[in-house]
C-alpha cells in the first residue's frame, strides 16, 4: 500500500498564558492520531505554533514592563517544554509572529483584495482617549441602559440579560485606564464572506466535517453570513496591513495562516516542499484538530480565504468538546483548572494520555476527567492488566532460561486472536474512536491474563523452574504483552520505549503485529509504570488552589492601587468604612430563567440579635463560571448593607464579591473555612 502524505495541525495556544488540561486534551488527541500514522509508515507531519498577536498580549506585556516580543518568547519556551514533557511529538513548533507568517498573511490579503473580496467602510467605535486605543467590548464597563445596574460589560447586562451597543452604556469607562471613552470613527477592512456562501454550503457538506458541525454551520450559512472585520487600529501587536499605515491584521486572520507558516519554516530546514501540501492540485491530506469554540473561524472564514487566495482547503476539520473535571467546568478556585506544569509536578504524563484516550470519541461532546475514576482506571488497566502480564512472566524466563524465549508458543491461537484484532483497532484509532480502541485492547489484555491464570506458571516453576513448558507459557505471555504494547504505543510512547528496551527489540511499528518474538533473549525486567496515588492527585488540586489564592491576593492588591489612581472617583475613608462585608453561606443556587449570566443565590448570614436566622436573595452574574450545584454549602463574602434593588427577575438584596476578567474566569472571594456565616470582615 502506498504511504499517505499527511499534514496535521492542532489549534494554536494563545501566547498569553500557561498550557492547561484543556489544551492538553486536544494535543493528546492529535498526537495519538499522528503517532498511529507514523507507525503505519505514512509520511505524517505535525506542526503547531503559538498564537502571538492581539491587544491582550500587548497590554499584558505593558503591565509586566516588557516588550510583546519578550513576552511571547518566554511563553513559547514554556509551552514547548510543557508539550514535550507530555510527549507531544511536534515536527515543528513555531510562532505566528514570524517572517514566514508575515509574508503569507500579506500575500493572502493582497490576493483577497485583488479578487474583490475586501470591502472598506468607516465604523464608529468607543475610543480610550488616555490610552489612545479603540476598545473591544470586553474592555468597556458601565451602567446598563435598561435596568441601570452598574459594572456591566460593553455588550450585554448580566443583571437583566439585555444586549446593547457599548455606546448605549450609561457612564461607560475603559477598564484599561478608567477613562471615559469617546466615540470615534475609523475605516475598517472586511473580508466579504457572503460571496462564498455557495462554495461553503457545498464544502461543509462534502464530508470534511462532523455532521453536528455541518448542521450548526448551515444555520449561519442560510441566515446570518456577514462580512468579517479583519482589521484593527494602532496601537496593536501584530502585522501592519500592506498599504494601510496604522491598520493591523486582526489576530484571527493571521492565526490559521500560522499553520502554513509553521510548515513553511519546516520546509526551509528539510526536503519538504510547501506547494506539495498547499497547492490546489496537492495530493496530500490536510487535517485540523480544533475545539468546538473556534469552529466558525476554521470552517467558514479559513476555507473561504484559502479558496480566494488560490490554496487548497482542508481534507477534514475535526472538532472536539470541552474538558470538564469531576462533572463541572474547570475551576481555579476548586483547584481543577490545572496547568500542565502543576500536573507534571505531581503525576506522570502518560496517566493523563491513557485516561483521555480511554474516553475520547470522534464527536463534539464534552469529556469529563473524573479524578477518582482516573486513578482507578489507570491502576486497573495499565498496572493491573498490561504491565502485570510482563511482570508475571519475565522473572521465570530470566531465572530459568537465562532470558531466552522459547522457539515456539504454548498457545498459538491466543496470539493469533490478538493479532487478528489489528484491523479493527487500527480503524478505531484512524476514526478517532479512541475509547473503542482502548476497550478492545483491554479485552485482549483480559484474555491474556486469564490464560496466565489458567496456566499458573508460578506453580510449574516451584517444581520445574527450567521446564520447557514453563518457557513456552511465559513466551506466550510475553508475546501477548508485546502485542498489547504495540497497540498502545500511539497512546503511551514512553512506556512503549521502556517495553522495547525490556524486550530487546527495535522500535515497534504497526506491522510488528504480524510477527512473533521467539528464540530471542530479553533484558532484565524493571517496573514500567507505578500506580496512581490519590494523595498525589490531591496534592495537585491543592497546589492549583494555592496558585489561585496567591493570584487572587495579587489581583486584590492591584485593584486597590488602581482604584486609588483613577478607576473610580476617590471616596473618603469614612465612606468606605460604612461598607458592611459579611461571611455568607450559600444555601441554594439556581439558574434564572431568561438570564444568560445570572444565578439566584439564597444566602445564610447567621442570626440577628434575637436569634432569628438572616437570609438574603442575591442575583449574581457568575453563571458563566459556576455550576449552581457546586456552590451550595460554600462560604463567600457579601456586601450586606447594599440597598436592595429591583431587577427584572426579582429583588436583589446585596452583592457577593468576586474577581476576574469575566467569562469563565470569575472567582468568588472565599473566607477561611473556619469562619461562620454573619461574621463581619474588617
Amino acid at each position: 500500500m502506498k504511504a499517505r502524505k499527511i499534514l496535521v495541525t492542532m489549534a494554536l495556544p494563545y501566547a498569553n498564558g500557561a498550557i492547561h488540561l484543556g489544551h492538553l486534551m486536544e494535543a493528546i488527541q492529535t498526537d495519538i492520531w499522528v503517532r498511529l500514522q507514523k507507525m503505519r509508515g505514512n509520511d505524517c507531519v505535525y506542526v503547531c505554533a503559538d498564537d502571538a498577536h492581539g491587544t491582550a498580549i500587548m497590554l499584558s506585556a505593558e503591565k509586566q514592563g516588557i516588550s510583546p516580543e519578550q513576552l511571547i518568547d518566554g511563553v513559547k519556551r514554556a509551552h514547548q517544554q510543557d508539550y514535550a514533557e507530555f510527549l507531544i511529538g511536534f515536527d515543528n513548533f513555531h510562532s505566528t509572529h514570524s517572517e514566514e507568517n508575515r509574508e503569507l498573511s500579506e500575500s493572502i490579503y493582497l490576493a483577497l483584495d485583488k479578487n474583490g473580496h475586501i470591502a472598506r467602510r468607516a465604523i464608529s467605535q468607543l475610543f480610550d482617549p488616555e490610552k489612545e486605543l479603540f476598545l473591544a467590548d470586553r474592555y468597556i464597563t458601565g451602567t446598563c441602559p435598561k435596568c441601570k445596574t452598574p459594572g456591566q460589560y460593553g455588550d450585554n447586562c448580566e443583571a437583566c440579560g439585555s444586549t446593547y451597543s457599548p455606546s448605549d452604556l450609561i457612564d461607560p469607562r475603559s477598564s484599561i485606564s478608567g477613562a471615559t471613552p469617546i466615540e470615534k470613527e475609523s475605516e475598517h477592512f472586511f473580508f466579504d464572506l457572503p460571496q462564498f456562501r455557495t462554495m461553503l454550503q457545498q464544502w461543509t457538506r462534502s464530508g470534511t466535517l462532523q455532521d453536528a458541525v455541518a448542521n450548526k454551520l448551515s444555520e449561519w450559512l442560510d441566515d446570518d453570513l456577514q462580512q468579517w472585520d479583519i482589521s484593527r487600529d494602532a496601537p496593536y501587536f501584530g502585522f501592519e496591513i500592506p498599504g494601510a499605515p496604522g491598520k493591523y491584521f486582526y489576530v484571527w486572520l493571521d492565526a490559521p495562516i500560522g499553520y502554513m507558516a509553521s510548515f513553511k519554516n519546516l520546509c526551509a530546514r528539510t526536503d519538504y516542499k510547501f506547494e506539495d501540501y498547499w497547492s490546489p492540485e496537492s495530493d496530500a491530506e490536510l487535517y485540523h484538530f480544533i475545539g468546538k469554540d473556534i469552529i466558525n473561524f476554521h470552517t467558514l472564514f479559513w476555507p473561504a480565504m484559502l479558496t480566494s487566495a488560490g490554496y487548497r482547503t482542508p481534507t477534514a476539520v475535526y472538532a472536539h468538546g470541552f474538558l470538564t473535571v469531576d462533572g463541572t467546568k474547570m475551576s481555579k478556585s476548586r483547584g481543577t483548572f490545572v496547568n500542565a506544569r502543576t500536573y507534571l509536578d505531581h503525576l506522570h504524563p502518560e496517566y493523563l494520555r491513557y485516561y483521555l484516550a480511554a474516553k475520547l470519541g470522534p464527536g463534539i461532546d464534552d469529556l469529563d476527567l473524573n479524578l477518582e475514576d482516573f486513578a482507578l482506571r489507570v491502576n486497573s488497566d495499565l498496572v493491573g492488566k498490561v504491565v502485570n502480564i510482563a511482570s508475571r512472566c519475565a522473572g521465570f524466563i530470566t531465572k530459568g532460561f537465562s532470558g531466552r524465549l522459547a522457539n515456539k508458543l504454548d498457545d498459538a491461537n491466543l496470539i493469533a486472536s490478538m493479532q487478528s484484532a489489528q484491523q479493527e483497532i487500527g480503524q478505531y484509532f484512524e476514526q478517532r474512536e479512541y475509547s473503542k480502541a482502548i476497550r478492545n485492547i483491554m479485552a485482549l489484555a483480559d484474555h491474556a491474563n486469564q490464560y496466565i491464570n489458567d496456566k499458573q506458571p508460578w506453580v510449574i516453576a516451584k517444581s520445574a523452574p527450567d521446564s520447557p513448558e514453563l518457557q513456552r507459557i511465559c513466551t506466550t505471555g510475553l508475546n501477548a504483552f508485546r502485542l498489547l504494547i504495540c497497540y498502545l504505543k500511539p497512546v503511551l510512547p514512553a512506556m512503549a520505549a521502556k517495553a522495547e528496551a525490556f524486550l530487546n527489540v527495535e522500535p515497534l511499528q504497526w506491522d510488528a503485529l504480524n510477527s512473533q518474538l521467539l528464540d530471542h533473549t530479553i533484558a532484565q525486567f524493571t517496573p514500567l509504570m507505578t500506580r496512581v496515588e490519590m494523595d498525589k492527585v490531591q496534592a495537585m488540586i491543592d497546589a492549583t488552589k494555592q496558585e489561585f489564592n496567591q493570584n487572587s491576593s495579587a489581583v486584590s492588591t492591584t485593584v486597590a492601587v488602581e482604584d486609588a489612581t483613577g478607576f473610580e472617583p476617590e471616596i473618603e475613608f469614612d465612606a468606605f468604612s460604612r461598607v458592611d462585608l459579611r461571611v455568607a453561606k450559600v444555601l441554594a443556587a439556581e439558574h434564572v430563567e431568561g438570564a444568560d449570566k445570572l444565578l439566584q443565590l439564597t444566602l445564610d448570614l447567621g442570626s440577628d440579635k434575637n436569634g432569628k436566622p438572616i437570609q438574603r436573595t442575591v442575583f449574581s452574574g457568575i453563571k458563566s463560571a459556576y455550576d449552581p450545584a457546586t456552590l451550595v454549602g460554600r462560604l463567600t463574602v457579601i456586601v450586606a448593607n447594599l440597598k436592595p434593588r429591583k431587577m427584572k427577575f426579582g429583588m436583589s438584596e446585596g452583592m457577593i464579591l468576586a474577581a476576574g476578567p469575566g467569562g469563565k474566569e470569575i472567582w468568588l472571594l472565599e473566607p477561611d473555612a473556619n469562619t461562620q456565616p454573619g461574621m463581619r470582615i474588617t
Side-chain angles (χ1 to χ4, degrees):
M1 182 184 297
K2 182 182 177 182
R4 295 158 61 188
K5 189 163 61 175
I6 307 169
L7 177 60
V8 178
T9 76
M10 72 171 203
L12 311 184
Y14 198 46
N16 195 30
I19 299 301
H20 55 68
L21 294 187
H23 293 117
L24 290 170
M25 181 176 74
E26 178 171 292
I28 289 168
Q29 181 189 37
T30 313
D31 187 72
I32 291 171
W33 198 84
V34 168
R35 286 181 183 275
L36 172 78
Q37 303 304 332
K38 292 184 175 184
M39 281 185 70
R40 287 182 144 181
N42 294 320
D43 185 359
C44 187
V45 181
Y46 183 12
V47 300
C48 192
D50 265 346
D51 181 4
H53 287 155
T55 302
I57 285 175
M58 179 182 71
L59 294 175
S60 181
E62 182 180 300
K63 187 175 181 180
Q64 296 179 46
I66 59 177
S67 69
E69 289 83 1
Q70 288 174 308
L71 173 67
I72 63 175
D73 286 348
V75 170
K76 182 184 176 186
R77 287 192 295 272
H79 285 183
Q80 287 180 291
Q81 184 176 353
D82 288 346
Y83 281 133
E85 291 190 41
F86 273 94
L87 310 169
I88 308 302
F90 296 122
D91 292 288
N92 197 49
F93 191 90
H94 203 37
S95 170
T96 59
H97 192 65
S98 66
E99 282 307 305
E100 296 93 347
N101 204 32
R102 184 192 300 275
E103 292 169 4
L104 285 165
S105 296
E106 290 180 355
S107 67
I108 287 174
Y109 164 78
L110 291 172
L112 302 183
D113 194 25
K114 180 181 178 181
N115 294 332
H117 297 142
I118 298 296
R120 296 167 177 80
R121 65 176 181 271
I123 65 170
S124 183
Q125 293 175 281
L126 288 184
F127 182 81
D128 185 327
E130 289 190 14
K131 291 292 293 183
E132 297 186 335
L133 176 74
F134 281 99
L135 297 168
D137 293 350
R138 67 182 180 277
Y139 294 125
I140 306 168
T141 60
T143 299
C144 172
K146 306 293 178 62
C147 72
K148 307 302 186 289
T149 301
Q152 301 305 306
Y153 287 107
D155 55 354
N156 65 83
C157 176
E158 297 177 341
C160 69
S162 299
T163 58
Y164 40 73
S165 167
S167 59
D168 294 332
L169 280 172
I170 300 170
D171 191 26
R173 294 291 185 94
S174 164
S175 62
I176 300 171
S177 72
T180 300
I182 60 174
E183 205 161 305
K184 189 173 180 179
E185 198 172 80
S186 173
E187 183 183 47
H188 273 233
F189 298 19
F190 295 82
F191 177 51
D192 199 1
L193 190 64
Q195 291 195 46
F196 295 86
R197 186 187 304 273
T198 300
M199 170 260 165
L200 289 170
Q201 286 173 332
Q202 296 172 352
W203 184 79
T204 57
R205 292 293 185 183
S206 64
T208 57
L209 309 175
Q210 296 123 302
D211 289 342
V213 173
N215 292 339
K216 180 62 180 176
L217 291 175
S218 68
E219 299 175 15
W220 295 331
L221 287 169
D222 294 342
D223 301 325
D224 194 29
L225 206 58
Q226 304 292 323
Q227 289 184 334
W228 180 38
D229 189 345
I230 63 166
S231 67
R232 294 295 185 267
D233 291 278
Y236 190 82
F237 183 59
F239 296 142
E240 198 167 44
I241 298 176
K247 305 290 183 181
Y248 289 79
F249 290 126
Y250 173 45
V251 59
W252 265 109
L253 180 126
D254 67 65
I257 298 173
Y259 301 141
M260 305 172 78
S262 183
F263 182 66
K264 190 171 186 178
N265 177 262
L266 178 68
C267 291
R269 296 180 282 105
T270 63
D271 293 333
Y272 288 108
K273 291 182 172 54
F274 182 82
E275 57 275 11
D276 288 350
Y277 288 77
W278 288 100
S279 74
E281 296 78 28
S282 170
D283 62 351
E285 301 169 47
L286 171 62
Y287 298 96
H288 299 311
F289 285 73
I290 63 166
K292 63 182 179 182
D293 56 328
I294 53 174
I295 283 172
N296 57 336
F297 294 107
H298 285 80
T299 58
L300 295 177
F301 308 131
W302 179 230
M305 283 171 50
L306 288 169
T307 299
S308 175
Y311 291 104
R312 56 89 49 81
T313 54
T315 306
V317 178
Y318 296 138
H320 60 79
F322 300 132
L323 181 70
T324 60
V325 180
D326 286 344
T328 61
K329 73 172 88 177
M330 295 193 300
S331 163
K332 292 183 178 179
S333 63
R334 290 193 295 271
T336 56
F337 197 102
V338 181
N339 286 335
R341 184 53 44 190
T342 309
Y343 177 101
L344 290 166
D345 287 341
H346 298 89
L347 297 167
H348 193 287
E350 288 194 313
Y351 296 158
L352 185 66
R353 288 182 65 101
Y354 178 76
Y355 186 78
L356 293 179
K359 301 196 73 172
L360 273 165
I364 59 173
D365 294 333
D366 294 346
L367 184 154
D368 186 53
L369 169 58
N370 180 284
L371 294 172
E372 185 175 352
D373 181 53
F374 163 77
L376 290 173
R377 182 171 295 207
V378 171
N379 291 342
S380 172
D381 289 1
L382 297 185
V383 181
K385 294 180 181 181
V386 178
V387 174
N388 189 47
I389 295 171
S391 65
R392 295 169 93 185
C393 297
F396 299 126
I397 293 293
T398 301
K399 293 176 183 177
F401 308 96
S402 301
R404 194 75 180 174
L405 299 178
N407 58 12
K408 63 180 295 187
L409 299 171
D410 173 71
D411 190 337
N413 290 333
L414 171 66
I415 301 305
S417 68
M418 294 180 69
Q419 291 172 319
S420 68
Q422 64 176 284
Q423 183 174 354
E424 184 176 29
I425 291 172
Q427 194 66 13
Y428 281 145
F429 275 130
E430 177 77 35
Q431 296 172 348
R432 306 175 329 285
E433 295 267 16
Y434 298 167
S435 61
K436 290 184 178 179
I438 295 297
R439 196 176 308 129
N440 279 22
I441 294 168
M442 286 306 124
L444 297 178
D446 287 337
H447 292 319
N449 275 295
Q450 186 60 53
Y451 162 78
I452 295 170
N453 287 342
D454 292 342
K455 290 294 183 175
Q456 296 183 307
W458 51 89
V459 174
I460 300 173
K462 286 182 179 180
S463 58
D466 57 355
S467 161
E469 180 187 12
L470 176 63
Q471 187 183 26
R472 289 193 298 270
I473 291 170
C474 292
T475 297
T476 302
L478 290 173
N479 269 266
F481 169 75
R482 172 179 170 272
L483 295 175
L484 293 171
I485 290 296
C486 194
Y487 284 130
L488 287 169
K489 187 174 180 178
V491 181
L492 305 170
M495 191 170 97
K498 290 181 180 179
E500 289 160 354
F502 154 62
L503 293 171
N504 193 26
V505 296
E506 294 295 316
L508 294 168
Q509 302 301 317
W510 199 254
D511 60 10
L513 293 164
N514 298 318
S515 62
Q516 299 171 4
L517 196 63
L518 301 172
D519 196 22
H520 172 85
T521 300
I522 62 173
Q524 183 81 28
F525 178 79
T526 57
L528 302 176
M529 181 167 286
T530 57
R531 298 174 62 83
V532 179
E533 298 173 8
M534 280 306 296
D535 62 339
K536 291 185 178 180
V537 176
Q538 187 58 50
M540 175 185 72
I541 299 300
D542 292 342
T544 302
K545 287 182 180 178
Q546 185 176 0
E547 291 168 9
F548 163 73
N549 290 332
Q550 290 172 344
N551 290 336
S552 295
S553 298
V555 168
S556 299
T557 302
T558 302
V559 169
V561 172
E562 290 175 339
D563 285 348
T565 56
F567 265 85
E568 296 291 344
E570 291 183 309
I571 62 174
E572 297 295 336
F573 180 78
D574 63 344
F576 174 73
S577 67
R578 292 197 296 271
V579 178
D580 190 354
L581 301 180
R582 300 273 176 164
V583 176
K585 183 177 182 179
V586 181
L587 299 177
E590 54 189 302
H591 295 289
V592 179
E593 186 174 354
D596 292 334
K597 298 186 179 181
L598 284 181
L599 293 181
Q600 179 177 321
L601 307 178
T602 302
L603 303 175
D604 171 18
L605 275 72
S607 304
D608 64 13
K609 294 179 180 179
N610 298 319
K612 183 179 179 180
I614 302 174
Q615 292 187 6
R616 297 279 181 85
T617 298
V618 171
F619 292 95
S620 180
I622 58 173
K623 181 177 179 179
S624 61
Y626 290 94
D627 179 346
T630 66
L631 294 174
V632 177
R634 287 180 59 171
L635 297 176
T636 187
V637 178
I638 180 175
V639 181
N641 63 337
L642 186 67
K643 184 177 179 180
R645 71 179 186 274
K646 183 73 169 67
M647 300 176 63
K648 176 181 177 181
F649 307 102
M651 187 70 73
S652 186
E653 301 172 301
M655 178 184 291
I656 61 171
L657 301 188
K664 296 180 180 180
E665 297 193 4
I666 299 173
W667 309 302
L668 289 181
L669 298 191
E670 295 184 81
D672 188 275
N674 295 321
T675 57
Q676 297 298 316
M679 183 180 294
R680 185 168 186 180
I681 298 176
T682 58

